[in-house]
Amino acid sequence: MENRGEMIELLTGVQSSRRTYYAELKKTVNELQKKNIQLEIINDVMKGFNIEMTMDDMLKNVMEKLKTIFPLERISIALGNDKELTLSNVYPQHLFHMMLGLPLPKEESLYWHVFHSGKPYVFITNSTQNERVWVEEESFRKLGLVSIFLFPLTIKGTVTGILTLGSKEMMGDCAADLAFFQQLSDQLAVCIENTRLYNEVLKTKKQWEETFLSVSDAIFIADLHGSILQANEAAKKYFPKEEKQKHLNVEHLLFKQAIASFKKALSMSETSGGELHFVEKTCEWYSFPILDTSNELHATIFYIKDVTAKRKMEAQLVHSGKLAAIGEMAAGVAHELNNPLTAIMGNAQLLLRKQHFDDKLLEGIYECGKRSKNIIRNLLTFSRQEEFFFEKFSVNEAILLALSLVGNQIQKQAIDIETKLDESLPLIEGSCQQIGQIILNLLLNAKDALEDCGRSNKKIVIQTSIEKINGADAIAVMVQDNGSGIKEAVLTEIFHPFFTTKNAATGTGLGLSVSLGIAEAHGGTLKADSVFGKGSTFKLILPV
């Protein structure tokens, strides 16, 4: 009777039912745990796959969780298109059968088969049931892989890559497991595509920001109230006192002189612009409306360009045009006057040979004709009508030539001439006659300045030397006098044609303008420095 209970349990099968119940319960718990881990993996893929995490880190995280429920040893991603498929990532990194980044072969390729078919594939190495021989089989065998699962990464019906899972054990093709792997591959495909799109947006944003910041002209983006939303680096150069242009008002910063135009620009859906003057600069500004998706104005771009140099160049072009017109007129007048002047001077010389005429009157006529002839020659030189030839010569030679013409005349007026000529000067390429004309004009101007000063110790100094101009050797010819000097107010005007500080009988206003033109034709320049009442210094610079 003591074994009665045991006998009843044996006869009724209660113990067997309990064992079956607990076995089924344990199996169910394992399945639930497996499902939970699978859901956790999918969730981690969705949450953890971001721009900061690399693909290798993501594969590592996925693989560590997969290994808790599957006997997997290897996971890899291959990405590409119809033309090229490359193995991009493998974990563990030492388990790869070819170099990462190299294109996979197309012929008899298992990867390409899955890519083109768009269907998952389970491959077992050394299996007699394999349909065909794949080029990857030898590599799988060398890696010790037995079961390989390949799943297409599909986005909107387009295959973009292959997810591969490898095991060193024989794994069955359980439908539930395959469904999970397919779901995992779909989630990875979405994450990879989202990352790709994010990177494209990030790259475009970076390119736009770099372009915006590198533009050398100032750019402001302002809202409809004029508050600056964004400004580039160039804006800081335009407004160095304002450390931060952002959140300032454009009207306060820029448009104090153009408030009406600015306010109009903020309310316009069309491009507008104007001109600004500030900080000794002349600037052009343009406004470009920014429209939202409803085609409504919600912000404005203000573009500011410094055109100070442009305006100066335009003024120089206008001035050059005037000089060209004056040159053409001067050339025409000179040619028209040359013939009658030649007749006047010739006839005056003929009459001078006859003794019964008043020699002083004829000499006056001849001298006036000669002076007019010189004026015409200067006009022709100014208008570039008179030809001269370039050859090698010494600047000192040109100075001596000029002194031989007017040296005695200057010294007769009690003016000392001191020469300091550098005998080591190299020869230059140019016209000795034309450079001599510059020296002659400078000497005559110095003589006239000394005549007006009333000074007792009148002196002219001529000096030549070698100077460094912008790192290159140049010959400097200095003509200095201690005469009446030039007023500072007119010092910048003395090189303009027909400008003169002399009276009408002695000055034509062409000497310095012609001299400057000759100097520039030789690649040089002519500079002036003067103190009114103390004297002037003119310096001719000629390149070696």
Side-chain angles (χ1 to χ4, degrees):
M1 294 298 291
E2 293 179 358
N3 297 328
R4 184 179 178 184
E6 294 179 4
M7 291 293 294
I8 292 173
E9 289 180 358
L10 287 172
L11 290 173
T12 57
V14 172
Q15 287 188 356
S16 176
S17 297
R18 284 178 178 174
R19 282 194 295 269
T20 303
Y21 169 75
Y22 285 119
E24 290 297 327
L25 181 61
K26 185 177 181 180
K27 182 180 179 181
T28 302
V29 170
N30 289 336
E31 289 293 331
L32 288 174
Q33 288 178 344
K34 185 177 180 180
K35 290 290 184 183
N36 286 336
I37 293 175
Q38 289 177 353
L39 290 174
E40 186 180 344
I41 293 172
I42 297 296
N43 187 49
D44 285 349
V45 170
M46 294 300 296
K47 289 174 60 178
F49 207 92
N50 53 55
I51 192 61
E52 286 81 18
M53 180 175 286
T54 65
M55 181 73 75
D56 290 332
D57 292 336
M58 189 65 225
L59 291 183
K60 179 181 178 181
N61 292 345
V62 172
M63 190 61 180
E64 294 301 324
K65 286 187 169 60
L66 284 175
K67 288 173 70 174
T68 62
I69 53 177
F70 297 107
L72 296 173
E73 300 291 339
R74 180 180 181 271
I75 184 171
S76 69
I77 295 286
L79 299 175
N81 48 45
D82 288 333
K83 295 181 179 179
E84 188 176 88
L85 188 63
T86 59
L87 191 65
S88 61
N89 301 87
V90 173
Y91 182 82
Q93 294 182 356
H94 65 279
L95 288 180
F96 58 86
H97 59 87
M98 66 177 298
M99 294 299 294
L100 298 180
L102 292 178
L104 296 170
K106 281 190 175 184
E107 298 296 329
E108 301 298 325
S109 171
L110 182 57
Y111 281 86
W112 277 104
H113 173 74
V114 175
F115 188 90
H116 286 139
S117 66
K119 297 179 181 180
Y121 194 97
V122 180
F123 179 77
I124 307 297
T125 56
N126 299 323
S127 174
T128 57
Q129 297 181 358
N130 289 336
E131 303 174 354
R132 52 202 285 194
V133 177
W134 305 104
V135 294
E136 293 90 354
E137 184 173 358
E138 182 64 25
S139 299
F140 292 149
R141 190 181 297 112
K142 289 180 178 179
L143 294 174
L145 301 178
V146 176
S147 303
I148 299 95
F149 301 86
L150 296 96
F151 296 89
L153 300 174
T154 306
I155 293 293
K156 296 181 181 180
T158 302
V159 179
T160 59
I162 305 295
L163 168 67
T164 306
L165 301 169
S167 174
K168 293 183 179 181
E169 300 180 11
M170 178 67 72
M171 292 179 59
D173 53 352
C174 175
D177 292 342
L178 292 179
F180 165 70
F181 290 147
Q182 183 63 64
Q183 186 181 6
L184 175 63
S185 68
D186 291 341
Q187 294 299 333
L188 281 172
V190 171
C191 292
I192 292 171
E193 179 65 12
N194 288 343
T195 302
R196 185 188 67 82
L197 294 175
Y198 182 83
N199 282 327
E200 284 188 4
V201 172
L202 193 65
K203 182 180 178 181
T204 303
K205 178 176 178 291
K206 186 177 180 181
Q207 288 176 342
W208 181 88
E209 288 178 346
E210 289 176 351
T211 303
F212 178 76
L213 295 174
S214 63
V215 173
S216 59
D217 300 319
I219 300 177
F220 298 91
I221 300 178
D223 61 18
L224 298 182
H225 302 290
S227 296
I228 297 175
L229 305 175
Q230 198 167 0
N232 67 345
E233 290 296 320
K236 298 177 182 178
K237 298 178 182 178
Y238 279 75
F239 308 98
K241 295 182 180 179
E242 303 289 348
E243 294 183 0
K244 293 183 178 179
Q245 283 79 31
K246 197 173 180 180
H247 304 306
L248 291 177
N249 194 281
V250 181
E251 181 178 327
H252 171 75
L253 191 63
L254 301 174
F255 294 89
K256 294 180 180 178
Q257 300 178 7
I259 295 177
S261 300
F262 162 65
K263 289 183 176 178
K264 186 178 179 181
L266 283 177
S267 60
M268 290 178 63
S269 298
E270 299 178 356
T271 301
S272 61
E275 191 169 282
L276 292 173
H277 301 275
F278 61 94
V279 199
E280 298 181 355
K281 292 182 179 178
T282 302
C283 296
E284 292 178 348
W285 68 270
Y286 301 92
S287 68
F288 303 93
I290 302 177
L291 306 179
D292 57 19
T293 53
S294 304
N295 209 32
E296 296 290 333
L297 180 69
H298 76 94
T300 304
I301 298 174
F302 287 97
Y303 175 82
I304 302 170
K305 184 176 182 63
D306 186 356
V307 294
T308 307
K310 178 183 176 184
R311 292 288 183 266
K312 289 181 179 179
M313 187 176 294
E314 289 173 351
Q316 289 176 354
L317 288 174
V318 171
H319 183 64
S320 298
K322 291 179 179 179
L323 290 182
I326 293 172
E328 291 180 6
M329 179 190 69
V333 171
H335 285 302
E336 289 297 325
L337 293 179
N338 252 336
N339 293 333
L341 278 175
T342 300
I344 291 172
M345 293 176 66
N347 291 331
Q349 284 180 318
L350 290 173
L351 291 173
L352 279 171
R353 296 173 183 174
K354 298 181 179 181
Q355 299 298 323
H356 60 277
F357 284 96
D358 189 343
D359 292 350
K360 291 183 179 180
L361 292 176
L362 290 175
E363 286 178 0
I365 294 173
Y366 179 77
E367 288 299 324
C368 287
K370 186 177 178 181
R371 183 169 179 272
S372 299
K373 195 79 171 179
N374 289 333
I375 292 173
I376 290 173
R377 185 180 297 109
N378 286 338
L379 285 172
L380 288 173
T381 304
F382 170 71
S383 62
R384 303 295 188 270
Q385 297 295 321
E386 193 172 70
E387 294 185 0
F388 53 89
F389 301 97
F390 277 33
E391 57 187 359
K392 288 188 177 182
F393 73 99
S394 170
V395 173
N396 289 340
E397 180 185 347
I399 294 173
L400 295 175
L401 177 64
L403 287 173
S404 67
L405 296 175
V406 295
N408 291 333
Q409 179 185 350
I410 293 173
Q411 289 175 347
K412 285 180 179 179
Q413 298 184 14
I415 299 173
D416 292 334
I417 300 177
E418 182 181 351
T419 58
K420 300 177 181 178
L421 305 183
D422 186 350
E423 299 298 334
S424 64
L425 292 182
L427 300 179
I428 67 168
E429 191 82 16
S431 170
C432 182
Q433 180 184 356
Q434 294 296 312
I435 298 301
Q437 184 178 344
I438 296 177
I439 306 301
L440 182 63
N441 285 332
L442 296 180
L443 288 173
L444 291 176
N445 287 342
K447 176 184 73 70
D448 293 339
L450 287 166
E451 285 180 351
D452 298 335
C453 72
R455 199 185 303 276
S456 57
N457 57 335
K458 300 176 181 180
K459 187 176 183 180
I460 297 176
V461 178
I462 306 174
Q463 182 177 348
T464 59
S465 61
I466 293 287
E467 292 187 3
K468 285 284 186 182
I469 306 294
N470 297 326
D473 288 340
I475 293 176
V477 181
M478 183 188 71
V479 178
Q480 186 178 49
D481 67 75
N482 58 347
S484 57
I486 305 170
K487 292 181 180 179
E488 185 178 356
V490 299
L491 190 59
T492 58
E493 306 290 331
I494 59 176
F495 292 107
H496 292 173
F498 303 107
F499 179 87
T500 181
T501 58
K502 303 174 184 178
N503 57 50
T506 58
T508 62
L510 285 173
L512 287 177
S513 62
V514 169
S515 298
L516 179 61
I518 295 173
E520 290 177 346
H522 284 74
T525 188
L526 187 60
K527 299 179 180 180
D529 186 21
S530 183
V531 178
F532 186 68
K534 292 185 177 181
S536 303
T537 301
F538 285 83
K539 184 178 284 188
L540 171 64
I541 305 294
L542 297 171
V544 174

